[in-house]
Amino acid sequence: FCAVLSLSSCKRKETTGPDANKPAPAKTDAEPVKTDVKPVEPVTATTGDSVLVTVNGVNITQKQLDDLLKPHLERLAKQAANLPPAFLEQQMKLIKDQALQGMITMQLIDEEVKKANIVVTDNEVTSEITRMAALQKPPVTLEELKATMEAYGASYEELKNQIQTTLGLQKLVGQKYPDEVKVTED
């Protein structure tokens, strides 16, 4: 579903005829999501407030990307101390590109959730995080989870935002495709 949201505005490459090695594209009744993703012209030096991309009028800035990636890139740099610098730089660029694509996808999901008037309460988010913490081996409390996240340089607020987005997406999918989301014991 995330891939559909992020790729729905992309144009398919024209071909001269059907490819016998590829199955015919599946037909769906769903309307494509209209998006307006505008990359900003690259600049040689980016500041913290520079806009990387605009998604339907919402700017995603270099600072937002840096804040999201800081703990991950620091950990990668420590783990990869013996790797060639070119390889490390290539991995960091890959991580940054994937994170930016993820931020675009999350923005599109948030917009769809808002359009569908779906609300995810703080209690639902806290309940889901508590449930996830209880599933750990051994189970941990909410306070222990927060402390562990801080030790790894992660933010509990980021986790809450991610869980809120995930729950919103689950509700959206359940609302748009109620017959396709039924889970049985089998």
Side-chain angles (χ1 to χ4, degrees), residues 39-84:
V40 175
E41 289 298 319
V43 291
T44 53
T46 58
T47 63
D49 292 337
S50 64
V51 176
L52 299 175
V53 68
T54 300
V55 181
N56 294 338
V58 176
N59 292 335
I60 295 177
T61 66
Q62 181 67 47
K63 181 176 179 352
Q64 290 170 313
L65 182 63
D66 290 345
D67 290 347
L68 177 68
L69 290 178
K70 184 178 179 182
H72 305 292
L73 294 178
E74 287 174 352
R75 199 170 328 125
L76 177 63
K78 287 178 188 175
Q79 293 172 347
N82 296 329
L83 294 175

Side-chain angles (χ1 to χ4, degrees), residues 5 8-9 33-39 53-58 104 107-108 111:
L5 283 176
S8 62
S9 65
V33 177
K34 294 179 181 163
T35 60
D36 181 21
V37 179
K38 296 178 183 173
V53 68
T54 300
V55 181
N56 294 338
V58 176
I104 292 168
Q107 178 60 37
L108 295 171
E111 287 177 12

Side-chain angles (χ1 to χ4, degrees), residues 79-149:
Q79 293 172 347
N82 296 329
L83 294 175
F87 177 78
L88 183 60
E89 185 178 322
Q90 180 183 21
Q91 291 302 307
M92 288 184 166
K93 180 180 179 349
L94 180 66
I95 290 170
K96 287 178 182 181
D97 290 346
Q98 290 173 344
L100 183 58
Q101 287 301 315
M103 292 174 77
I104 292 168
T105 300
M106 288 297 120
Q107 178 60 37
L108 295 171
I109 290 171
D110 285 343
E111 287 177 12
E112 289 300 308
V113 167
K114 287 176 185 170
K115 282 182 197 175
N117 293 320
I118 293 172
V119 177
V120 177
T121 66
D122 286 340
N123 286 340
E124 289 173 308
V125 172
T126 303
S127 294
E128 180 63 16
I129 294 172
T130 303
R131 185 189 71 76
M132 290 170 48
L135 292 175
Q136 301 300 307
K137 302 287 184 204
V140 295
T141 66
L142 209 51
E143 290 73 30
E144 291 170 327
L145 178 66
K146 288 177 185 178
T148 302
M149 291 183 69

